[in-house]
Amino acid sequence: MKPALIAILSVLSVAACQRKAEGPPPPPPIGAPPPAPPQPAPTQASFIGRWAATADLCATGAWVFDADRVSTAGEVGCRFGSVSPTPTGYLINASCTAEGPPQPKTFTLTMLGGTPPSMIVAGGPWSAPVTLHLCAG
């Protein structure tokens, strides 16, 4: 064989060896646990945003819900320790400050849907359930 042909064949065989295999991954070895299914991307909690009892209060009386806290237009602020989805919304364990030092509180958010979306906040530092509507923008 000619040296040029040998060099070309060598390069092609090395390239073929380095090419990644196509198709599905091989099955796990016998006795090994099955691979974990891909995890869906986390979604933003549906309670995040500015909420108020009426549209007029959105400018000056909104409650601001973030992923890890809520602050009201009054003197209540809570830092969330855990947020657990429920069939109707969320169960939240938090440390809340309301006219005093922080105290552990548990409350629920019941998502009602609608236009604009609504939710009921019950428990925690609030003496009665409060219905809030999502503020525009």
Side-chain angles (χ1 to χ4, degrees):
M1 261 195 220
K2 295 186 177 189
L5 183 58
I6 293 173
I8 291 173
L9 290 175
S10 297
V11 169
L12 289 176
S13 66
V14 168
C17 290
Q18 292 178 346
R19 205 173 92 179
K20 292 184 177 180
E22 295 179 19
I30 294 175
Q39 297 296 317
T43 57
Q44 179 174 313
S46 59
F47 61 81
I48 294 175
R50 294 174 49 83
W51 298 77
T54 66
D56 294 340
L57 291 174
C58 283
T60 60
W63 296 26
V64 179
F65 281 85
D66 292 314
D68 62 347
R69 68 180 170 262
V70 60
S71 59
T72 70
E75 300 296 322
V76 177
C78 297
R79 286 217 167 268
F80 303 163
S82 66
V83 177
S84 303
T86 68
T88 58
Y90 301 91
L91 174 67
I92 299 176
N93 291 302
S95 175
C96 298
T97 304
E99 299 178 11
Q103 294 185 359
K105 299 288 183 179
T106 300
F107 57 95
T108 60
L109 305 178
T110 302
M111 309 311 290
L112 302 176
T115 305
S118 300
M119 72 175 164
I120 298 172
V121 181
W126 300 283
S127 58
V130 180
T131 300
L132 300 172
H133 309 279
L134 186 62
C135 297

